[in-house]
Amino acid sequence: MNTIYLKNIKIIDPSSAWNGNKVNILIEDGIIKTISDNKTESFLASQVVQGDNLMVSKGWTDLRANFCDPGYEYKEDLVSGAEAAAYGGFTGVALLPETDPVLASKSAIEYILSKAANGIVDIYPLAAISSGKEEDNLTEMFDVHEAGAAGFSSGYSPVKDGGFLLRAMEYAGMTGLPLMVRPENLGISGKGQVNEGVVSVRLGLKGAPTIAEEADINTILHLCEYTGQPVHISCVSTKQGMEAIEKAHQAGLPVSADVCIHNLYYEEEDLGMFNTMLKLRPPLRTKKDRDYLREAVLKNDYICVVSDHRPQDEDKKKCEFELASYGAIGLQTLFSQMIGIYGADHIVQIAEILADRPAKTLKLENSGIKEGSYARLTVFDPDIKWILDPGTNKSRSENSPLWNEELTGKAIAVINKGKLKTLDNE
């Protein structure tokens, strides 16, 4: 019997009767056997986790990451990506279909699930909406659903054809799996590399106007209303776009959304003089956009925060800004960034954002921390200091804008599948 003992740990879970209390937790073969606030009581266990400022919540899930496997394993693979996820405190990760070949067949989905089966992190492959690079044919949605796909995603690209998206929404709706779409009208954004505005003029770079995102969001919402089918809008970066989603949700449309942590943490002025680590898609927007998104995340339980973990090799980032590739890694630093944005005083809301909202989006079972429940848990310290550097980074890539910066807040352990993985505090 595998036993895990969490000693003198504070539960952060509003759905638990023990929320806010320091307790001892005994886990046997993946099930929470005993929770006790008797400070004199102790348990015999094969593995023990203890510390002065430890907290535990339901396990965190990330809805948007790329592990580049198969096809681009020199950037990341399923093993290194899962390791980075675990060290970030995640017990589950939804993977984008940005692979070669794309995740659009039963065999591709089965490859992901088979290779990741023995790891402590649950992997949820998202199948591509289109079976090829062009929007000619829908993926065989029922086949990939049967193979174990957790949903459908347009990946890094928007769906350009409204008719194609309408059919995708209808078929995805019949499978019951979420459909995730990134909004951008490419005819408007063109070759813009940063947000259109003062910063793009100062840097002499082509700008991508916010209307490119807002226009596509309105199209998606109209199709959602027309079909009655749910849709998840990924990587919202503008105030007006979020306002449209909020209005639609209030009107009863089955819409949810997410915001990339970097769009929540930074704004366009942080680009400085051509910081390629902050060349992102969607681009960093204005402080006004960022601050509105921060408020929207706090007040709306259908808005998730994602890492948009996008590994790139060194040559793709250490070059001229115009030639640099988009994206940043973010799985290991997301929690620290949330602490930096909202502060440890909002730890209950942060845990809810990272655990409950993505689980609801993927329709995962996510029972509270109580006796008899399955133990899918994240143990963390919101005050610990650490640095992301070659010694702590678990990704194959190093394209993080937070490289070598001191961060506050870190996962200490993850528990899933009856296993415990303790994480070093370097």
Side-chain angles (χ1 to χ4, degrees):
M1 179 183 293
N2 183 35
T3 54
I4 302 168
Y5 174 23
L6 306 183
K7 184 177 181 181
N8 194 32
I9 194 165
K10 186 176 182 179
I11 291 180
I12 305 296
D13 175 14
S15 69
S16 172
W18 298 96
N19 183 45
N21 294 324
K22 280 200 168 186
V23 299
N24 296 324
I25 302 175
L26 179 65
I27 299 166
E28 293 183 354
D29 291 335
I31 303 298
I32 298 175
K33 178 71 178 300
T34 306
I35 301 177
S36 172
D37 60 359
N38 185 344
K39 295 179 180 178
T40 63
E41 186 174 11
S42 185
F43 302 117
L44 290 175
S46 53
Q47 295 173 289
V48 179
V49 178
Q50 61 182 322
D52 295 331
N53 190 40
L54 297 189
M55 302 180 182
V56 62
S57 73
K58 300 174 188 176
W60 305 339
T61 300
D62 183 43
L63 286 181
R64 187 178 174 87
N66 184 7
F67 287 175
C68 310
D69 185 351
Y72 308 100
E73 290 91 340
Y74 61 94
K75 297 181 182 182
E76 196 81 282
D77 60 33
L78 286 164
V79 175
S80 64
E83 187 78 350
Y87 271 75
F90 293 96
T91 58
V93 179
L95 296 188
L96 294 176
E98 296 288 344
T99 54
D100 186 18
V102 296
L103 303 183
S105 66
K106 290 180 68 173
S107 61
I109 298 298
E110 289 167 351
Y111 164 81
I112 298 292
L113 293 175
S114 175
K115 191 170 180 180
N118 294 325
I120 195 169
V121 177
D122 290 317
I123 298 299
Y124 307 110
L126 301 174
I129 295 173
S130 173
S131 58
K133 295 292 185 183
E134 300 299 324
E135 292 170 6
D136 295 326
N137 297 298
L138 280 173
T139 293
E140 293 291 342
M141 291 186 166
F142 291 96
D143 283 352
V144 294
H145 176 206
E146 186 178 87
F152 306 99
S153 171
S154 68
Y156 295 144
S157 303
V159 179
K160 293 174 286 187
D161 184 277
F164 187 84
L165 179 56
L166 185 149
R167 293 192 297 276
M169 292 174 71
E170 292 176 333
Y171 277 95
M174 286 189 280
T175 69
L177 297 180
L179 180 75
M180 303 178 179
V181 183
R182 193 181 79 76
E184 182 182 3
N185 186 310
L186 296 175
I188 298 174
S189 61
K191 296 182 180 180
Q193 297 203 346
V194 297
N195 184 54
E196 183 181 81
V198 175
V199 172
S200 66
V201 172
R202 185 179 74 227
L203 297 179
L205 296 170
K206 292 181 179 179
T210 59
I211 189 64
E213 177 175 291
E214 297 149 20
D216 205 27
I217 285 176
N218 284 322
T219 297
I220 295 167
L221 293 175
H222 283 312
L223 291 175
C224 177
E225 182 178 21
Y226 176 76
T227 63
Q229 297 298 330
V231 65
H232 181 89
I233 302 177
S234 297
C235 292
V236 180
S237 67
T238 64
K239 176 178 182 289
Q240 290 84 353
M242 183 60 76
E243 286 177 329
I245 292 169
E246 290 175 309
K247 184 177 179 180
H249 192 273
Q250 290 166 4
L253 293 190
V255 60
S256 57
D258 63 58
V259 180
C260 170
I261 184 61
H262 298 303
N263 290 95
L264 210 61
Y265 193 75
Y266 297 103
E267 46 103 355
E268 61 179 355
E269 291 289 345
D270 293 314
L271 281 167
M273 293 304 293
F274 306 102
N275 183 355
T276 59
M277 294 300 172
L278 289 175
K279 184 177 181 181
L280 308 169
R281 202 74 174 182
L284 298 178
R285 304 293 186 180
T286 66
K287 184 177 183 297
K288 183 178 180 181
D289 288 306
R290 183 201 67 182
D291 291 349
Y292 189 86
L293 294 176
R294 289 180 175 185
E295 294 177 8
V297 165
L298 274 189
K299 70 182 181 181
N300 298 307
D301 64 2
Y302 55 90
I303 307 297
C304 301
V305 176
V306 297
S307 74
D308 200 22
H309 182 81
R310 188 170 182 174
Q312 298 288 4
D313 58 281
E314 187 176 19
D315 290 345
K316 298 293 186 180
K317 280 297 186 178
K318 292 187 177 180
C319 58
E320 294 179 14
F321 194 92
E322 293 92 331
L323 301 177
S325 295
Y326 294 105
I329 57 174
L331 279 167
Q332 283 186 246
T333 56
L334 190 150
F335 175 61
S336 300
Q337 289 173 278
M338 291 290 282
I339 293 291
I341 294 167
Y342 296 114
D345 290 344
H346 284 86
I347 195 63
V348 174
Q349 287 171 289
I350 291 172
E352 183 266 333
I353 290 167
L354 297 182
D356 293 323
R357 297 184 191 183
K360 182 179 179 182
T361 302
L362 291 177
K363 301 180 181 179
L364 305 175
E365 184 180 347
N366 197 30
S367 56
I369 302 177
K370 58 185 179 181
E371 293 179 353
S373 289
Y374 182 80
R376 184 185 291 112
L377 306 171
T378 300
V379 179
F380 56 93
D381 182 337
D383 298 324
I384 198 169
K385 307 289 185 181
W386 69 288
I387 295 174
L388 182 70
D389 59 22
T392 58
N393 179 46
K394 302 303 176 182
S395 172
R396 283 185 171 229
S397 297
E398 298 182 350
N399 56 309
S400 169
L402 292 164
W403 198 256
N404 283 328
E405 289 190 21
E406 185 178 72
L407 303 168
T408 300
K410 190 179 184 299
I412 301 301
V414 289
I415 299 167
N416 192 24
K417 302 181 183 179
K419 304 174 184 177
L420 165 70
K421 184 177 181 67
T422 55
L423 315 172
D424 63 70
N425 299 322
E426 297 175 4

